[in-house]
């Protein structure tokens, strides 16, 4: 039988992927969802940055949870998130300066992303290190796969490309400019939430009828 | 270990220690990374200038196009073939940076440029352009041929426009319209009030007598505000540059105007700066 912490880690990770998914369950991180998803490449980089920030922040906050006074915990959490986001920012400026130039505005936005602070306050602040790290990583991955799905639809319909490469299309060769504008993100996000929740309801109904 | 984390003294000490540790981490990271970041910025800006000045590698007497050059090669071309000087607008005293690209090498003693090639070796001039875009400031350079009549290229080094829309000013489709083969005129217009027009009009529909003829750049679809912003500050910066160029007697042709009356040049006769 696996140790309790490992079991909790697995549960925490899986919950963030689907049952408590930050985007379509908790409806968190919507600002960046609207801002970055018109290009798959930009979205992918934003997701990598967010996975790093949620994972490392959760790990650090969990490590310090016994020592952090309750009345200053939010300040400490924001400080920790900022440090890890600045690490991402500096690393990109050193090793990937061209990419940084195209998404620098979004990297800074990770600090204010509700998902990161939300997971620290809701989970990492109260749970062991391994489980908290798994929770943070799961939240990042759960956010990422929804974002990538939205970006795929928006870039394909808006530019007729995928990751910047021309993609074949059965439709008339007309780009839907609205898809790369913020309203396009609202439409696709709403559809994504609808599809995911609809699937979830069907799955639960099937489970209940089976039991 | 049983710690009373609610004690005021503990809260103060803990907060101070945690802040000091994380702040020190960031400061150390910045100190370590700053040289590399500054070097990246230098290469980025020098590459931008080299690419628009020496796009035609053969005519510029370069072994390969700048786009295929390594970081070291770009820095070498910039150091050996580009001379930075300043021009002054006589009416306002505004100082404009001017980068001149040459077919042959400038002469150096250490870091100091001691002689520049003859004017026949000039392949083009570049000036800085900047203004406020739809979201954020936009910065870049525009290059002109040796006669200061036609565009050689444009590059944007800073912008925060909408990805996929206004940000397309950095893409080839927009920038290619400024390439030498498109013969985009930028010299002071004989009629009309703009050096260059960036509009939704179809290039083929522009009548020959229109001031827009040969000065037209296609606007970016869905990014009208960015296109208008770029047109405005490029025209402003070009008008300022031409006033200074006329005063420095760089501009030998073109219609005279009272505001652009020549005054004694303030361009340094001996090279002093090349960054």
């Amino acid at each position: 039988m696996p140790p309790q912490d490992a079991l909790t880690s697995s549960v925490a990770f899986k919950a963030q992927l689907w049952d408590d998914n930050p985007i379509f369950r908790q409806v968190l991180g919507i600002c960046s969802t609207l801002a970055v998803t018109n290009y798959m490449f930009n979205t992918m980089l934003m997701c990598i940055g967010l996975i790093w920030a949620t994972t490392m922040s959760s790990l650090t906050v969990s490590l310090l949870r016994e020592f952090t006074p309750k009345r200053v915990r939010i300040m400490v959490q924001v400080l920790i998130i900022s440090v890890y986001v600045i690490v991402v920012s500096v690393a990109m400026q050193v090793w990937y300066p061209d990419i940084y130039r195209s998404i620098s505005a979004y990297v800074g936005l990770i600090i204010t992303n509700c998902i990161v602070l939300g997971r620290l306050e809701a989970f990492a602040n109260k749970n062991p290190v391994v489980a908290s790290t798994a929770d943070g990583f799961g939240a990042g991955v759960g956010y990422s796969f929804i974002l990538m799905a939205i970006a795929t639809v928006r870039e394909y319909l808006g530019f007729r490309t995928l990751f910047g490469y021309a993609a074949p299309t059965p439709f008339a060769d007309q780009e839907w400019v609205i898809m790369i504008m913020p309203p396009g993100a609202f439409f696709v996000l709403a559809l994504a939430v609808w599809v995911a929740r609809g699937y979830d309801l069907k799955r639960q109904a099937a489970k209940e009828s089976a039991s | 270990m049983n710690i009373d984390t609610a004690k005021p003294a503990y809260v103060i000490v803990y907060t101070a220690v945690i802040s000091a540790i994380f702040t020190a981490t960031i400061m150390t990271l910045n100190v370590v990374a700053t040289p590399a970041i500054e070097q990246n910025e230098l290469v980025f800006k020098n590459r931008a200038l080299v690419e628009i000045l020496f796009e035609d590698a053969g005519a510029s007497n370069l072994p390969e196009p700048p786009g295929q050059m390594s970081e070291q090669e770009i820095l070498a071309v910039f150091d050996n073939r580009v001379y930075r000087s300043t021009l002054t607008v006589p009416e306002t005293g505004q100082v404009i940076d001017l980068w001149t690209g040459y077919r042959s090498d400038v002469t150096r003693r250490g870091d100091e440029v001691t002689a520049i090639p003859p004017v026949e070796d000039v392949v083009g001039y570049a000036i800085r352009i900047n203004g406020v875009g739809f979201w954020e400031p936009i910065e870049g350079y525009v290059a002109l041929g040796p006669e200061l009549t036609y565009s050689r290229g444009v590059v944007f080094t800073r912008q925060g426009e909408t990805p996929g829309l206004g940000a397309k000013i950095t893409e080839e489709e927009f920038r290619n319209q400024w390439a030498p083969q498109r013969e985009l005129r930028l010299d002071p217009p004989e009629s009309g009030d703009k050096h260059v027009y960036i509009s939704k009009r179809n290039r083929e529909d522009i009548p020959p007598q229109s001031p827009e003829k040969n000065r037209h750049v296609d606007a970016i679809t869905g990014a009208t505000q960015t296109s208008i912003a770029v047109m405005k500050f490029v025209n402003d910066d070009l008008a300022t540059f031409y006033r200074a160029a006329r005063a420095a007697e760089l501009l030998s042709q073109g219609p005279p105007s009272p505001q652009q009356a020549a005054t004694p040049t303030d361009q340094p006769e001996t090279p002093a700066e090349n960054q």
Side-chain angles (χ1 to χ4, degrees):
Chain A
M1 188 177 172
Q4 187 60 35
D5 195 28
L7 196 62
T8 313
S9 308
S10 166
V11 171
F13 177 77
K14 285 178 185 167
Q16 288 303 308
L17 281 186
W18 191 262
D19 293 338
D20 293 328
N21 185 283
I23 302 287
F24 70 82
R25 279 292 186 197
Q26 302 175 60
V27 198
L28 294 175
I30 298 305
C31 318
S32 54
T33 306
L34 302 179
V36 302
T37 51
N38 55 359
Y39 267 126
M40 292 177 76
F41 189 71
N42 289 357
T43 308
M44 185 185 73
L45 291 168
M46 177 76 176
C47 291
I48 292 169
L50 190 107
I51 290 170
W52 159 265
T54 50
T55 308
M56 296 307 294
S57 302
S58 292
L59 187 152
T60 312
V61 166
S62 181
L63 272 175
L64 294 173
R65 72 187 188 283
E66 302 289 342
F67 309 102
T68 306
K70 284 206 168 12
R71 69 178 74 174
V72 294
R73 69 184 191 285
I74 299 288
M75 187 213 81
V76 172
Q77 288 166 8
V78 173
L79 180 68
I80 290 167
I81 297 167
S82 308
V83 169
Y84 286 117
V85 173
I86 291 170
V87 169
V88 172
S89 174
V90 171
M92 289 184 79
Q93 285 181 74
V94 172
W95 288 301
Y96 303 102
D98 293 335
I99 294 169
Y100 179 78
R101 278 181 206 102
S102 67
I103 65 157
S104 57
Y106 309 130
V107 174
L109 279 178
I110 297 173
I111 296 174
T112 58
N113 194 310
C114 337
I115 296 171
V116 191
L117 190 60
R119 293 324 300 161
L120 299 187
E121 187 61 5
F123 197 91
N125 202 29
K126 305 162 191 155
N127 287 284
V129 173
V130 179
S132 297
T133 308
D135 179 82
F137 183 66
V141 174
Y143 165 90
S144 299
F145 88 81
I146 295 287
L147 240 67
M148 287 305 296
I150 293 171
T152 305
V153 174
R154 290 186 69 193
E155 185 178 328
Y156 180 69
L157 295 178
F159 296 118
R160 294 284 186 258
T161 59
L162 294 172
F163 278 107
Y165 295 100
T169 170
F171 312 117
D173 193 18
Q174 180 66 45
E175 296 165 354
W176 296 10
V177 176
I178 196 165
M179 278 298 156
I180 51 178
M181 307 278 283
F186 277 113
F187 299 143
V188 182
L189 174 64
L191 283 172
V193 171
W194 178 52
V195 169
R197 288 195 174 184
Y199 169 76
D200 210 36
L201 285 173
K202 274 190 178 176
R203 202 178 58 152
Q204 282 178 9
K207 263 187 192 175
E208 282 168 12
S209 63
S211 60
Chain B
M1 191 165 57
N2 193 12
I3 303 170
D4 183 0
T5 58
K7 276 186 181 172
Y10 177 84
V11 173
I12 292 168
V13 171
Y14 179 86
T15 308
V17 170
I18 282 287
S19 300
I21 290 171
F22 284 113
T23 308
T25 305
I26 290 302
M27 285 171 67
T28 307
L29 187 67
N30 261 327
V31 168
V32 171
T34 296
I37 292 171
E38 287 178 352
Q39 174 72 6
N40 286 342
E41 281 303 301
L42 182 71
V43 172
F44 175 64
K45 289 190 175 176
N46 290 1
R47 182 181 286 278
L49 281 163
V50 168
E51 281 184 358
I52 56 172
L53 283 169
F54 302 104
E55 189 198 5
D56 185 351
S60 307
N61 197 20
L62 289 179
E64 59 184 338
Q68 297 172 12
M69 288 183 180
S70 67
E71 188 176 296
Q72 281 70 30
E73 288 169 331
I74 285 289
L75 291 176
V77 170
F78 188 83
D79 284 343
N80 295 325
R81 297 291 190 85
V82 180
Y83 173 63
R84 181 183 177 184
S85 58
T86 56
L87 298 176
T88 304
V89 184
E91 297 88 350
T92 62
Q94 182 184 349
V95 176
I96 297 172
D97 289 317
L98 178 72
W99 288 266
T100 309
Y102 293 98
R103 279 187 199 89
S104 51
D105 288 357
V106 299
T107 310
R108 287 177 171 278
R109 187 181 299 133
D111 286 342
E112 189 182 351
V113 176
T114 53
I116 53 176
V119 71
E120 299 79 47
D121 276 6
V122 171
V123 293
Y125 299 93
I127 58 164
R128 186 178 285 127
I129 49 174
N130 60 69
V132 180
F134 185 54
W135 296 112
E136 288 186 23
I138 299 174
E139 295 175 2
Y141 303 95
V142 63
L144 301 108
E147 301 298 327
L148 297 179
T149 309
Y150 289 100
S151 166
R152 283 193 68 84
V154 72
V155 63
F156 295 94
T157 52
R158 179 189 173 188
Q159 59 84 24
E161 301 306 283
T162 313
L165 293 173
K168 282 188 171 181
I169 56 173
T170 60
E171 294 180 8
E172 284 194 3
E173 188 178 354
F174 183 76
R175 290 181 53 207
N176 280 347
Q177 299 184 83
W178 304 68
Q181 58 270 29
R182 298 297 290 270
E183 298 190 339
L184 175 68
R185 293 195 73 152
L186 296 178
D187 55 339
E190 292 182 30
S191 59
D193 61 348
K194 294 184 179 68
H195 294 259
V196 61
Y197 294 78
I198 303 177
S199 70
K200 292 178 186 172
R201 288 184 73 167
N202 192 334
R203 187 179 283 110
E204 284 69 36
D205 294 344
I206 300 170
Q209 68 275 19
S210 167
E212 206 168 333
K213 191 72 180 173
N214 301 326
R215 295 178 182 277
H216 175 86
V217 172
D218 292 339
I220 296 166
T221 305
T224 307
Q225 294 305 314
T226 302
S227 303
I228 290 171
V230 171
M231 181 172 74
K232 183 178 183 317
F233 70 71
V234 167
N235 276 301
D236 289 348
D237 290 340
L238 282 171
T240 306
F241 164 67
Y242 276 109
R243 283 201 292 276
R246 195 179 295 278
E249 297 178 352
L250 278 177
L251 191 64
S252 57
Q253 296 176 3
S257 69
Q259 293 82 10
Q260 296 171 333
T263 58
T265 176
D266 51 8
Q267 186 179 16
E269 289 182 9
T270 53
E273 185 183 18
N274 190 28
Q275 294 176 5

